[in-house]
Amino acid sequence: MITVNADGKIMVRRCLVTLRPFRIFVLGIGFFTLCFLMTSLGGQFSAKRLGDSPFTIRTEVMGALESRGVLRRMSDMLEMLMKRMDILARLENTGSVRGPAAGLMERIQAIAQNVSDIAVKVDQILRNSLLNGKGMEGRRDQCEVPRDPKYPDCAGKVEWMRARWTSDPCYAFFGVDGTECSFLIYLSEVEWFCPPLPWRNHTAAVPSPPPPPRAQAAFRRDLARLLDFMKKRIRHLAQQWLRAARRLEQRLAGRQRDQKHILVHIGFLTEESGDVFSPRVLKGGPLGEMVQWADILAALFMLGHSLRVTVSLKELQSHLGVPPGRGNCPLTSPLPFDLIYTDYHGLQQMKQHMGLSFKKYRCRVRVIDTFGTEPAYNHEEYATLRGYRTNWGYWNLQPSQFMTMFPHTPDNSFMGFVSEELNQTEKQLIKANKVSSMAVVYGKEASIWKVGGKEKFLAILNKYMEIHGTVYYETQRPPEVPAFVKNHGLLPQHEFQQLLRKAKLFIGFGFPYEGPAPLEAIANGCVFLQARFNPPHSSLNHEFFRGKPTSREVSSQHPYAEDFIGKPHVWTVDYNNSEEFEAAIKTIMRTQVDPYLPYEYTCEGMLERIHAYIQHQVGENPCPPWGAISTPAMQSPPSPLALSPNSTHLVWSPRAGWAPQAWPPVASLQVWVSEPQHTCTETCRRHGLVCEPTFFRFLNKEEVFLQLSIVCDSTEYEMNHLYPAVAENVRECYLQKEPLLFSCAGHHAKYRRLCPCRDFRQGQVALCRDCL
């Protein structure tokens, strides 16, 4: 069927003819000529026979044709086909055709009549196209690049399209054909660099109906659907997740919780990222990331949100609505997800395939980032200028969009994971069965035994305790561990936990850093013994941290265990000091400890934390994200802060007269001044508080220096991740020019920093006391 659309373009919809097997080759030639004609106009031709059914021959043309030369050829071929049909008809009338073929002439005549009708239509189309062509050519001649100050990049983008529009098939997918008009249509209607063309059919803006009310998120009471892909870990913790969800549901009774549509894309498991991770896990490699992703999925599911999970690039492209091509064009439709949880590999894949849409929707992304990304490394321009650029940073996201395994970087959000929680009966049973002279070494890779310097402290440990290892090895190549170590090989998780329940000591050799195993050991009644690093390990002196987007100085193998748990569960000693090491071993053997698990690493603690993030870090319009802060030129009037009663720091003034809709609530804010060479993270911790970077905007004011009795001979706005700060020796004060650089990290001998601190819930450092 041939039709003409409103633009005068031909649409050949479908030609379907059904024939019984004929032996009249002339009819065959005529018909196949017609089908060849249709195919030559851009269609897809297929012919197949199904058993004894009639031949079904289809020609489908999905494109739109504007070439008048093709139309002329089509008209000529149809005319020739009609003449052949007339010859066949005359043969029948003169009796030259005998036998079975004679009865087919009625069909031939019918086809001839159809062909005649097609010829007439094509002739009409040809005339119309000549007229429309002249109009279109005139219109195309009128497509000049507009000079509109509201669209300063339009001319440059058109110039780029002229040279590069064939570089990606996605441009043709959106109708770009190399003409000036098609460039402007694309740049004004698909992208937003040029103004709308006045001659395009722009319908008047009709107010969109209000969105339907969101479904309310209901805590899940069944894990069956999730168990299809989460396997053993979630199955093992299923009852704890269910009990935790019920407890949190009771605490949040009556509160509105909109159900979010969430995409979880685990980039490091995709084939495109190489998936070098899975084989290492089977050989004792790091399990921390796998543990964390399993727990994230379980928590999101139990909170009642709608999930889509992808571990392949093809699935990701399908869910996002990526157009065909190489990723230069925007998505074909608005992003259907409120949130996307991914990792650095997935972040790179999304940027590569989402085109300009990545910038538009980047604030909906949450990046699972084990070691954290500090603002100085995240800000692309600043990182490049100041030497902070690494392979993992420069994304220009809000720093709180990065989510860490431990709460070591307040600039980022603490995601965490869970450890198994024991009931009182289990705790008593573990205490009764502990073997005080049994130690288990932390680490499953043989490489941790190969680093020198362990002989002295291992000899001391072996004098008091039986040493067990869980080092992976292949049968023909046992690991190179000392003969006095009883190596069990790589154990399944439940057998490893049974080993921990018997052992008194879990000892680290300095690597791996910040994994989940020490928390599991402490939860099973072990004492964790680790080395103190002097000097602290960082990107300046240790290969492992080199290239990571953080300036952290790690003082031990597991800083969270050292800072947030401590004695009697965690001992951090100098392994090079034999007397200190031996004294610690003796004391640990005498000390009775109960199994202990911080609340933030229980199922309920993780549910509580993720619920708070989802409710408060995402608004009705999450772009720009929740951390959007006014520039210096737009600072709010007088400071809402006041001196505390003891005049040591600033607090939110009860007489401020206004309280912004901030999260965390501003009532938890305290402003302290750091000592030189101290980060804001350290400064707040010394006062029993946590640094809260979202509060920087309230103290980035010249007036705050006066309130703290800081004398400023000059005050400058500059781009520096240490600001706001004061150089007291020269009485120079500095305010932050770039909000993305507000940072709890970083120190310098020259500066004392203004630090925003807040209180926190017992056992839940990520949340202030009133944050729920």
Side-chain angles (χ1 to χ4, degrees):
M1 176 181 176
I2 301 178
T3 60
V4 185
N5 66 11
D7 294 330
K9 295 182 180 181
I10 299 173
M11 301 296 295
V12 183
R13 303 290 187 187
R14 178 170 293 173
C15 172
L16 172 62
V17 180
T18 303
L19 302 173
R20 293 287 177 185
F22 295 127
R23 296 184 184 273
I24 307 298
F25 77 95
V26 177
L27 180 61
I29 291 174
F31 185 75
F32 276 97
T33 300
L34 176 62
C35 287
F36 172 77
L37 173 65
M38 299 299 186
T39 306
S40 70
L41 295 177
Q44 299 293 324
F45 173 79
S46 65
K48 59 182 178 178
R49 180 169 184 159
L50 302 175
D52 293 327
S53 65
F55 277 104
T56 301
I57 301 174
R58 296 171 183 255
T59 300
E60 298 192 19
V61 180
M62 301 300 181
L65 304 173
E66 296 182 347
S67 171
R68 297 187 293 279
V70 173
L71 288 174
R72 289 193 183 95
R73 290 196 298 273
M74 182 178 179
S75 179
D76 294 342
M77 293 177 73
L78 288 173
E79 185 177 355
M80 181 173 62
L81 185 58
M82 285 178 61
K83 290 178 180 179
R84 292 181 181 178
M85 294 294 189
D86 288 340
I87 293 171
L88 287 175
R90 287 197 296 274
L91 285 173
E92 182 192 24
N93 294 334
T94 59
S96 300
V97 179
R98 304 294 181 185
L104 299 175
M105 288 301 102
E106 291 182 4
R107 298 189 183 187
I108 294 172
Q109 287 177 329
I111 292 172
Q113 183 60 48
N114 286 338
V115 171
S116 177
D117 294 341
I118 293 173
V120 172
K121 286 188 176 181
V122 170
D123 187 58
Q124 293 173 350
I125 292 168
L126 184 58
R127 290 194 181 97
N128 289 337
S129 70
L130 289 170
L131 296 174
N132 291 336
K134 292 178 181 178
M136 285 301 296
E137 287 173 2
R139 183 173 295 172
R140 289 180 188 276
D141 291 339
Q142 296 171 10
C143 282
E144 297 179 357
V145 179
R147 306 296 178 185
D148 189 330
K150 296 179 182 178
Y151 299 88
D153 298 324
C154 183
K157 289 292 181 179
V158 171
E159 190 66 30
W160 188 95
M161 291 290 287
R162 290 189 190 115
R164 302 291 303 277
W165 75 273
T166 58
S167 65
D168 194 325
C170 72
Y171 297 119
F173 174 82
F174 283 107
V176 177
D177 59 8
T179 62
E180 204 84 349
C181 283
S182 68
F183 298 154
L184 291 171
I185 291 170
Y186 175 84
L187 291 171
S188 62
E189 298 179 13
V190 179
E191 297 183 6
W192 46 88
F193 292 105
C194 295
L197 299 177
W199 53 268
R200 292 285 289 176
N201 184 19
H202 300 289
T203 56
V206 179
S208 56
R214 277 186 178 268
Q216 292 298 293
F219 285 92
R220 297 257 165 71
R221 294 181 171 83
D222 177 23
L223 277 167
R225 286 170 52 203
L226 194 59
L227 290 176
D228 291 340
F229 57 89
M230 286 319 302
K231 300 182 181 179
K232 294 180 180 180
R233 178 173 177 81
I234 295 191
R235 188 176 292 113
H236 179 69
L237 294 172
Q239 291 305 311
Q240 295 200 18
W241 282 115
L242 294 169
R243 287 195 295 269
R246 283 195 292 268
R247 289 195 295 266
L248 184 59
E249 183 179 22
Q250 292 170 358
R251 290 167 51 200
L252 299 176
R255 300 193 189 182
Q256 293 286 102
R257 292 190 316 113
D258 290 343
Q259 186 184 58
K260 306 294 184 182
H261 296 282
I262 298 175
L263 174 67
V264 177
H265 177 61
I266 308 176
F268 74 86
L269 291 181
T270 61
E271 182 180 350
E272 291 75 14
S273 69
D275 189 16
V276 295
F277 194 91
S278 299
R280 290 183 63 204
V281 169
L282 298 176
K283 296 184 179 181
L287 278 170
E289 288 86 350
M290 300 290 284
V291 165
Q292 188 179 33
W293 276 111
D295 295 344
I296 290 169
L297 285 165
L300 293 172
F301 184 84
M302 293 306 299
L303 287 169
H305 299 293
S306 174
L307 296 185
R308 291 289 182 273
V309 182
T310 64
V311 290
S312 78
L313 185 57
K314 185 176 180 180
E315 289 178 309
L316 175 68
Q317 292 172 321
S318 174
H319 286 306
L320 294 178
V322 174
R326 299 189 180 91
N328 288 309
C329 299
L331 302 180
T332 57
S333 58
L335 187 70
F337 300 104
D338 300 300
L339 284 171
I340 300 176
Y341 288 86
T342 189
D343 52 25
Y344 264 121
H345 295 282
L347 192 65
Q348 183 64 49
Q349 290 167 350
M350 286 191 293
K351 182 178 182 181
Q352 182 179 351
H353 294 278
M354 289 176 67
L356 288 172
S357 294
F358 178 79
K359 184 176 182 181
K360 181 178 181 180
Y361 295 118
R362 69 188 185 280
C363 57
R364 302 192 190 185
V365 176
R366 302 292 178 269
V367 184
I368 307 305
D369 176 16
T370 302
F371 292 98
T373 299
E374 293 175 2
Y377 298 81
N378 170 63
H379 192 285
E380 183 174 15
E381 179 187 356
Y382 185 78
T384 303
L385 292 174
R386 300 294 185 94
Y388 291 103
R389 189 176 179 112
T390 70
N391 290 334
W392 302 103
Y394 64 85
W395 287 96
N396 290 328
L397 300 178
Q398 287 290 329
S400 43
Q401 290 177 250
F402 297 99
M403 312 192 92
T404 59
M405 185 171 282
F406 291 95
H408 46 60
T409 306
D411 295 311
N412 304 149
S413 298
F414 163 46
M415 171 59 75
F417 57 93
V418 303
S419 287
E420 185 173 2
E421 193 175 6
L422 304 177
N423 58 38
Q424 285 303 119
T425 302
E426 291 170 323
K427 290 179 180 179
Q428 293 301 322
L429 188 62
I430 286 175
K431 288 178 66 176
N433 292 326
K434 280 289 178 184
V435 179
S436 62
S437 59
M438 179 178 173
V440 175
V441 175
Y442 174 25
K444 299 182 285 292
E445 292 189 84
S447 59
I448 67 170
W449 296 85
K450 297 178 181 178
V451 181
K454 299 181 175 64
E455 296 81 5
K456 186 183 293 186
F457 72 79
L458 277 175
I460 297 173
L461 181 63
N462 185 48
K463 186 167 68 173
Y464 294 97
M465 307 184 88
E466 180 182 74
I467 305 174
H468 294 250
T470 58
V471 182
Y472 169 82
Y473 68 95
E474 297 174 354
T475 306
Q476 65 275 20
R477 295 184 63 185
E480 298 176 9
V481 300
F484 53 78
V485 175
K486 184 178 181 179
N487 184 38
H488 299 262
L490 190 61
L491 295 177
Q493 184 65 14
H494 69 280
E495 292 183 29
F496 179 62
Q497 286 209 332
Q498 292 303 316
L499 192 65
L500 292 177
R501 291 184 178 190
K502 290 177 61 179
K504 176 71 174 182
L505 179 67
F506 190 61
I507 181 170
F509 283 180
F511 189 84
Y513 297 100
E514 298 181 309
L519 263 67
E520 292 185 32
I522 295 167
N524 283 285
C526 293
V527 173
F528 178 50
L529 177 64
Q530 63 175 346
R532 181 184 302 115
F533 300 150
N534 188 20
H537 291 183
S538 71
S539 60
L540 299 178
N541 60 13
H542 204 275
E543 186 62 32
F544 178 83
F545 290 101
R546 195 159 290 127
K548 290 184 169 56
T550 174
S551 62
R552 289 178 61 207
E553 296 177 337
V554 178
S555 59
S556 64
Q557 182 174 355
H558 207 289
Y560 174 85
E562 178 185 6
D563 296 334
F564 289 86
I565 300 178
K567 294 180 180 179
H569 303 281
V570 179
W571 288 65
T572 305
V573 301
D574 182 1
Y575 280 18
N576 295 317
N577 185 327
S578 298
E579 293 181 0
E580 182 183 358
F581 183 85
E582 187 169 7
I585 296 295
K586 291 179 180 179
T587 305
I588 289 169
M589 292 179 69
R590 295 193 305 265
T591 304
Q592 292 291 323
V593 296
D594 292 329
Y596 172 72
L597 180 64
Y599 173 76
E600 56 201 353
Y601 285 97
T602 66
C603 290
E604 184 176 357
M606 188 168 184
L607 285 175
E608 177 184 88
R609 189 165 59 250
I610 295 181
H611 155 74
Y613 290 153
I614 291 176
Q615 290 300 113
H616 298 289
Q617 288 187 343
V618 178
E620 286 301 315
N621 180 16
C623 294
W626 63 91
I629 304 168
S630 59
T631 61
M634 300 169 58
Q635 293 298 315
S636 53
S639 167
L641 305 174
L643 273 174
S644 63
N646 59 6
S647 301
T648 58
H649 61 282
L650 301 181
V651 297
W652 192 267
S653 172
R655 297 187 297 276
W658 64 283
Q661 294 296 314
W663 190 85
V666 292
S668 63
L669 167 63
Q670 297 183 27
V671 181
W672 290 84
V673 182
S674 78
E675 295 300 320
Q677 286 285 54
H678 282 200
T679 67
C680 282
T681 301
E682 295 170 308
T683 300
C684 294
R685 186 177 296 158
R686 289 185 171 206
H687 295 288
L689 303 167
V690 175
C691 182
E692 180 50 64
T694 60
F695 287 157
F696 268 113
R697 54 177 164 157
F698 299 121
L699 50 125
N700 193 45
K701 304 172 186 291
E702 189 172 356
E703 184 180 350
V704 174
F705 291 113
L706 297 176
Q707 290 180 293
L708 290 166
S709 300
I710 296 173
V711 179
C712 303
D713 288 346
S714 65
T715 303
E716 301 289 340
Y717 281 103
E718 292 187 13
M719 195 165 66
N720 190 309
H721 71 287
L722 301 178
Y723 297 166
V726 56
E728 284 191 319
N729 59 330
V730 290
R731 300 203 294 191
E732 293 176 350
C733 296
Y734 299 93
L735 296 175
Q736 182 59 258
K737 183 179 179 181
E738 172 50 71
L740 278 180
L741 286 174
F742 282 140
S743 177
C744 295
H747 59 76
H748 194 281
K750 176 182 178 181
Y751 299 119
R752 297 184 69 195
R753 302 187 57 192
L754 303 190
C755 298
C757 308
R758 64 163 170 83
D759 57 33
F760 59 92
R761 296 168 62 85
Q762 187 66 32
Q764 184 72 287
V765 69
L767 304 179
C768 68
R769 291 171 189 161
D770 297 324
C771 276
L772 281 183

